[in-house]
Amino acid sequence: MIKKLFYTPFLFFFYLSFAQNVSTPHLEKRGNVTQLVVNGKPFLVLGGELHNSSTSSAAYMRPIWEQVKKKNLNTVIAPVYWELLEPQQNKFDFSLVDSMLTGARKYNLHLVVLWFASWKNGYSMYVPSWVKNNSDKYRRAKDKDGKSLQQLSTFCEATAEADANAFRTLMKHLQDVDAKQQTVIMVQVENEVGLFSTPRDYNQAANEAYNKSVPNDLMQYLVSHKGKLQPELDSAWKSNGYKTSGTWEEVFGKSIVDKKNWQTLSYLTEELFTVYYYAKYIGKVATAGKAEYAVPMYVNAWLKQQMTPMPGNFPSGGPTPYTLDIWRAVAPSIDLIEPDIYVPDATYVIQQYHRPGNAIFVPEIRPGIRSANEAFWVFGEHNAIGVSPFGIDDGKPEEDPITKTYAALTQVKDLILQHQEDGTMKGILVDTINRSQEFELGGYHIKAQLGNGSLAELAGFSVGEKKADIAGGIVINTGKDEFVAIGKDYTLTFTPLQDDGKTIDVEYLDEGTFVNGKWVTTRRLNGDEGTGGGDYGFGFKQGNNGMIRFQPSPTGDYSIVRFKMYRYW
Ligand code: DGJ
C-alpha cells in the first residue's frame, strides 16, 4: 500500500513530463536559463527567415529547401498568411501549410511559423479580402484628426475573434498533422505590430479607454510586482506616486516629448496604453491557438532607434523591451518578446531584451558577415535559443557567411547547451571599433583580441592577407584549466587570476571537431602553429600568460580548438 501511494504520484509526474516532452515542443527553465525542448531534448535554433512572399508558392520554395539545408540551417522561419489560409470566411485551405511541412521534412528541417494576420510591420495587408472590405465590422484605427488608418484597430472584438478563430484552426491542423514529427517548433504571433503616424489609436473606443481607469489586470500586476518591475515602467509609475488607480495619465503621467534625444521615452503613456491593447488582442489570439496546440509563442519588435525615435515613427504598441511587464501581465500565452535587429550594433539591442523573465531568440537579423559573427556571441554570451538572419533564400550557400557559422555551431551545439546554465561560457565579439574584450573564466583573466595572431601579424610583416574586420566566437571552460574555443581571426590571452609564483604555459592545443557530440582531434598544434606563433623563439610574450590562436583555414572555415593550461616552476 505504502509502495503504491509512493509510486502512483511518481508515475503520474513521470508520465506528465514524459508526455509533455514527447508531445509538444516547449520552453524549459534550467537554473536561470530557458531552453527550447524539441522531441524531448534541448534544441538550439540555427535559423534563417524567408522573404515575406516565399511560402505563398510551393513551386518557388521547391529549390529553396535544399539551398537552406546547404547553408547548415536546422530551422526555417516561414510565414503562413491569413489571407491565403482562410480566403473565404470559415473555409480553410491548408495546402501551403502542408507543402511547407513536406518541404522542411524532406531536408530534416524544423519550422518556426510566422502568423501573418491582423498586422505585419504594423499594417493590415495580410488580412483576407472579406476583412479588408468590411470596415464597418472590422474597424480601422484612427489618427488624432479622426482619419482612418490602413491599420486595423485593436479596439474591435470582431477582428480579434476572426483572427483568433483562424489561428486556432491553424494550430489545430498543426496538432493533427505535426504533433508527432515536431517539424513546427515555435510560432510568432503577428509580425512587428504597432501603429504608424500616431502614438495611439484615436477612434471612439480608444478615446474612451484612454480616459478610463487603467484596467484591473494591469493594475493588479503592477501592485503585486512592485519592486520587481522593469526599471522604465517602475520609474513612470513611481514618478506619479505609485497610484493604484486612475486614468493612464494619472497613473503614468502626461508624456514628455523630447525631440533632441532619441533614447528618451517620448509619448510613453500613449505607448504603454497602446501596448496594453495590442498585448490583450494578441494574447487572445495566442491563447486560442495554444488551446489547440501549445508550442512556444513569441512576438517580435520593430525597434525604437535613432532613425525612428518616437512611437508612431516606429510602430507604437509593439513589444519594445521596456514593455515586457505589460505582455507578462495581460498576455501570458506569449512566452517571449524579441527584437528584429537591423541596427549596426546588435549587442546593445540584445542586452536590452535579455531581461529577467525573457530569454533571447533573434527571429530576424540583417544578413551578412556581421551577423554571422554576432551569432557566436549571442549564443555564447546570452544563452540564446536561436538566431535567424532575414532573407535566407537569397544568396548561394557558398557565398552566405552564415553557412560557415552554422557549420561550426552544428558541431558544438550540444556542448553549448550543456554549458548554458553554469556560467562556464563566454561569447566573443571584437571588431575594428572594439578591438579587444576582457573577462574572467575558469580562474583566468582572458583577453580576446582581433587578429589571427600569426607570426606575420605579430611581427608586422605584410603577407598580403586581408585582415578580418570582425571576429565572433565562443570560449567554454570544460574542466580545470581546460577550454574549448570556437572562432577564427581572434586570439585569447590567458592570465591566471591568482599568482602562485608559478609560470603559466599551454600544455596542449588541439584542433578538432565534434562527431556525434564526441571530440575528435584532427591536428595537434604546436611549434609555429602553437601558442602565439613564435612566443618562444621571438620573445613576444610579455607577462605570465599563455596565448591561443586559430590556424587560418584555406577555405575560411571557423575552427574549434581544445586546450589546457599548466604551470611550471
Ligand atoms: C522586418 C519584417 O519583420 C520582415 O518581415 C521584413 O519585412 C523585413 N523587415 C524587411 O526587410
Side-chain angles (χ1 to χ4, degrees), residues 49 52 116 120-121 191-192 300 302 340 342 364 390:
E49 184 167 320
N52 295 162
F116 280 8
K120 192 268 167 194
N121 293 35
N191 188 86
E192 292 191 354
N300 63 329
W302 171 320
D340 289 347
Y342 293 90
E364 288 182 45
F390 183 75

Side-chain angles (χ1 to χ4, degrees), residues 199-221:
R200 74 167 175 90
D201 194 343
Y202 284 88
N203 74 17
Q204 196 190 334
N207 287 339
E208 282 167 18
Y210 192 69
N211 293 313
K212 274 197 196 142
S213 295
V214 171
N216 264 340
D217 48 2
L218 178 58
M219 210 63 249
Q220 275 170 17
Y221 179 96

Side-chain angles (χ1 to χ4, degrees), residues 158-214:
T159 330
E161 276 294 334
D163 189 333
N165 181 51
F167 187 60
R168 179 191 301 118
T169 311
L170 168 65
M171 294 312 290
K172 160 106 182 53
H173 182 73
L174 290 178
Q175 154 79 44
D176 290 346
V177 300
D178 192 51
K180 217 159 140 208
Q181 284 94 329
Q182 305 200 358
T183 314
V184 175
I185 54 177
M186 282 209 281
V187 173
Q188 177 188 296
V189 190
E190 315 292 343
N191 188 86
E192 292 191 354
V193 301
L195 288 168
F196 280 112
S197 76
T198 173
R200 74 167 175 90
D201 194 343
Y202 284 88
N203 74 17
Q204 196 190 334
N207 287 339
E208 282 167 18
Y210 192 69
N211 293 313
K212 274 197 196 142
S213 295
V214 171

Side-chain angles (χ1 to χ4, degrees), residues 11 56 67 155 157 189 249 290 302 331 394 415 444 488:
L11 283 177
S56 72
Q67 184 170 320
F155 293 89
E157 208 42 43
V189 190
E249 292 195 352
K290 274 198 172 171
W302 171 320
D394 285 343
L415 191 69
Y444 291 88
K488 60 176 179 175

